Amino acid sequence: MIRRPRVRAGLLLLLTIAFGAGAFTARTFADDKDHKSEHKHDRGTGPGHIHAPVPPDYAAQVAPAHIWTDRAVLARGEAIHDTKCAVCHGRQGGGDGPAAAGLIMKPVSFRDTAMVAEMTPAYWFWRVSEGGAVEPYKSNGSAMPAYKTDLSVEDRWAVIAFQHSLSGHVGAHGPSEHPEMQMHGTRPHPEFRGVSFGGPWVTRDHRWQPRGPWKYTVMRELPQLYREFNGIDFGHAHLAETLLKTQDERRVERARVDVVDFIFSSPPVPPDEEQVAPTFNRLTWEVAKTFDWAHIFHRSLYDLFASDNVMDKEAAYRKLLADYLEKPEAITPHRLDHHVALWSFAESKSFRDRFGKFNTQIWAYHWLQAAIYDVQLLGDLKRQQELMPKVIAFYHGYLRRPPVEWQFMPMMPEAAPNFARRFPEAATIFDNLHMLHDNFDDILARPDLFPTLDAKRTAILKILPIYLHRAHGASDRYADFHEGPGGHGGMSMMEMGPRPPSVHEVLAGTAPASDQPQPQPKAPHGDHK
């Protein structure tokens, strides 16, 4: 049983900021610097070596199929490389040519097989064609010449084919030649598809809710719920910063208990997540903005459905939805394939499997965030005030004993079926948001795959565009990540484990006790998993 802490919420937050996050930020950057000095790779480590999105006028470029093994083409490419490229990249492509030492942005090494496997033919052709005259390479000091007017299309493909051979690969530039592209049977991280981001290591801007007569209703009229949300905001931020600092199971578990203590302290104000998790917010400020806007949309809808001052809530919902979707960081209302495509990367399920209690504690947050909506649809503010304590008490049972039997996150249609039917766009946005949290935590939980801060940032920014509204539509760049026609699939009932109850079962008293082990589902006939 968790004891209610005696410290006040504000003091606990200040102590966390002063002695937890602040001290560990400096060490995180120092550790990353030391790691780079101890594990030197052929490729450069500067931010310019992040593989930026290929612009539309180059994205359709396709390499002639024969170039990778055609001896005449390779010989032509070698001659061009010796004349044009070796002075910086080196005769053997190691990034160690005679001019390399004086360059701000160091040349890449074509002997780095992992880097070569990441470069699509279209990306490679774009880089040879435009050189360092394009962003983000220009801003990072690239001195690479543009060869689009100096070399014909055929010659550019020839030098690319030769440089590809320097990595030790002898076949075509594709998954059959590069096992890295297959990620050992799991889905590789997607290529960028036209969504670009700014430079790394910046501070995010602060946002606030849209105006309306509903604003601050939860804070004023449902204060217990408001304080629960404040605790959840702290929990997500503290987890991210903890995983950037340590993978030690005891320390991560300590961080989990600290979050529970903070939630039970009933924090009266939302924490400043940028102070709670400064490294995370500077490392991937694009993700921080995405989380910020989605959480603001969440809070705006809770205020709207709690308010008795708005008669036409459907119209107000449409206004808030449109306002949200105008943001470049808005998450798509297209339902994505959570069970398969978005959970089939090399790191997928790592956080769940390594830190099960913390993982399902977060899923419990998501259950509450969903369940509240169906409570709000049951009546006016007075009715909500009557019902909310029972739902929050049930949620507290999950905090006391995280439901580790769950193998997949709660979904909006499960916890809040009425809201999911009436407001499918918001329900989908929030399911997608919660899956993005899972993807993000999985990357942070795998330092073996992503050992440096730059590697983590690169992996995260390959995942993020899948979720953004601007990446979907008539020219959908991520259609292969959409949910199939038959709805969610790909996981059997046994694989998913026990499923959370709807809030209606909780209110009716028919849901299994939240602080007890959840019953395992029975395998359907023919399922022997």
Side-chain angles (χ1 to χ4, degrees):
M1 186 142 177
I2 296 173
R3 293 178 297 174
R4 186 183 183 91
R6 302 190 180 206
V7 309
R8 294 176 61 189
L11 175 60
L12 179 58
L13 176 58
L14 288 174
L15 289 172
T16 302
I17 294 169
F19 297 104
F24 128 65
T25 303
R27 198 170 97 182
T28 301
F29 283 105
D31 288 349
D32 189 53
K33 182 178 179 182
D34 291 343
H35 178 93
K36 289 179 180 177
S37 65
E38 292 171 5
H39 301 278
K40 294 183 183 295
H41 295 283
D42 286 337
R43 85 171 86 174
T45 55
H49 294 106
I50 293 174
H51 293 156
V54 180
D57 49 339
Y58 281 95
Q61 286 288 340
V62 178
H66 70 283
I67 65 169
W68 312 106
T69 56
D70 189 312
R71 292 185 179 180
V73 172
L74 293 172
R76 176 62 180 155
E78 181 177 12
I80 296 169
H81 177 86
D82 287 349
T83 303
K84 306 285 188 182
C85 311
V87 65
C88 294
H89 289 280
R91 175 66 186 82
Q92 298 300 319
D96 53 358
L103 298 177
I104 297 173
M105 181 175 165
K106 303 305 180 185
V108 298
S109 168
F110 299 115
R111 288 154 45 192
D112 185 335
T113 57
M115 185 209 71
V116 170
E118 291 174 1
M119 298 203 300
T120 63
Y123 170 86
W124 210 330
F125 187 83
W126 170 53
R127 294 291 290 115
V128 171
S129 299
E130 298 292 344
V134 293
E135 296 296 352
Y137 309 101
K138 182 178 180 180
S139 296
N140 285 297
S142 174
M144 181 177 172
Y147 291 107
K148 63 183 178 181
T149 58
D150 193 24
L151 295 174
S152 67
V153 170
E154 292 76 13
D155 282 349
R156 277 176 271 167
W157 282 123
V159 74
I160 289 169
F162 172 72
Q163 290 169 344
H164 173 261
S165 72
L166 294 174
S167 66
H169 297 296
V170 295
H173 186 49
S176 62
E177 175 59 22
H178 297 288
E180 300 94 334
M181 292 181 175
Q182 299 287 7
M183 298 295 284
H184 306 291
T186 60
R187 179 184 290 264
H189 282 197
E191 290 293 332
F192 289 115
R193 307 186 195 183
V195 179
S196 60
F197 299 98
W201 312 115
V202 302
T203 300
R204 80 180 194 273
D205 57 330
H206 290 271
R207 315 274 176 115
W208 202 242
Q209 298 170 334
R211 294 180 178 180
W214 53 81
K215 196 171 180 181
Y216 302 122
T217 303
V218 171
M219 181 183 70
R220 292 193 305 264
E221 307 294 346
L222 295 167
Q224 183 184 7
L225 178 63
Y226 181 76
R227 291 174 179 231
E228 297 298 328
F229 291 155
N230 295 340
I232 289 172
D233 289 349
F234 173 80
H236 277 302
H238 191 46
L239 168 63
E241 199 76 357
T242 299
L243 290 178
L244 284 168
K245 177 182 180 181
T246 182
Q247 299 293 307
D248 181 79
E249 292 185 7
R250 290 173 298 178
R251 295 170 70 186
V252 174
E253 173 62 10
R254 180 67 257 169
R256 182 191 73 81
V257 174
D258 286 345
V259 171
V260 176
D261 286 348
F262 184 78
I263 292 173
F264 276 86
S265 75
S266 194
V269 295
D272 185 336
E273 294 181 52
E274 192 167 355
Q275 294 189 51
V276 176
T279 314
F280 153 61
N281 279 282
R282 293 183 64 221
L283 173 67
T284 52
W285 57 270
E286 301 90 344
V287 178
K289 284 185 177 181
T290 301
F291 288 162
D292 283 350
W293 271 122
H295 294 158
I296 286 172
F297 184 41
H298 248 319
R299 293 233 186 187
S300 296
L301 292 185
Y302 293 132
D303 280 339
L304 170 64
F305 292 117
S307 175
D308 288 343
N309 296 325
V310 182
M311 295 299 103
D312 191 349
K313 294 188 179 181
E314 295 270 354
Y317 163 79
R318 292 292 164 192
K319 177 182 177 181
L320 288 171
L321 176 66
D323 178 83
Y324 171 72
L325 292 177
E326 287 178 356
K327 308 297 185 293
E329 303 90 355
I331 289 175
T332 179
H334 297 278
R335 186 160 285 278
L336 301 177
D337 183 5
H338 305 114
H339 292 85
V340 180
L342 289 170
W343 226 19
S344 59
F345 303 116
E347 70 277 7
S348 291
K349 308 178 184 66
S350 295
F351 181 66
R352 181 199 72 179
D353 295 343
R354 290 193 62 194
F355 306 108
K357 281 188 175 181
F358 214 151
N359 175 72
T360 46
Q361 180 173 305
I362 291 170
W363 285 352
Y365 309 160
H366 297 164
W367 179 87
L368 177 70
Q369 289 171 314
I372 292 305
Y373 285 117
D374 262 25
V375 177
Q376 293 188 303
L377 296 182
L378 290 175
D380 60 9
L381 176 60
K382 182 179 179 181
R383 180 63 172 155
Q384 293 177 39
Q385 290 170 332
E386 293 171 356
L387 297 176
M388 211 65 75
K390 185 172 185 178
V391 177
I392 293 173
F394 187 87
Y395 158 69
H396 282 178
Y398 285 146
L399 297 183
R400 294 185 177 92
R401 184 198 174 279
V404 293
E405 298 84 9
W406 293 354
Q407 297 299 297
F408 192 78
M409 69 178 190
M411 306 296 291
M412 292 288 296
E414 293 176 320
N418 294 340
F419 181 83
R421 282 191 295 268
R422 287 184 58 184
F423 305 100
E425 304 93 346
T428 298
I429 287 167
F430 298 141
D431 275 343
N432 291 342
L433 165 69
H434 298 158
M435 192 71 207
L436 176 58
H437 274 294
D438 279 9
N439 286 147
F440 180 84
D441 293 337
D442 283 338
I443 289 171
L444 297 187
R446 289 299 300 271
D448 55 325
L449 294 177
F450 314 107
T452 67
L453 293 178
D454 282 340
K456 292 177 177 66
R457 173 177 166 80
T458 300
I460 291 165
L461 292 189
K462 285 186 177 181
I463 295 288
L464 177 60
I466 301 169
Y467 287 90
L468 299 183
H469 179 46
R470 60 183 173 172
H472 298 275
S475 57
D476 199 325
R477 291 186 288 272
Y478 292 97
D480 49 326
F481 284 90
H482 279 220
E483 178 183 275
H488 282 294
M491 295 180 73
S492 71
M493 289 300 296
M494 294 299 290
E495 288 174 316
M496 293 183 70
R499 302 309 298 149
S502 75
V503 73
H504 305 285
E505 294 174 278
V506 172
L507 294 174
T510 58
S514 56
D515 57 356
Q516 298 296 320
Q518 306 295 295
Q520 292 287 339
K522 295 181 180 180
H525 181 70
D527 188 346
H528 302 291
K529 292 184 178 181

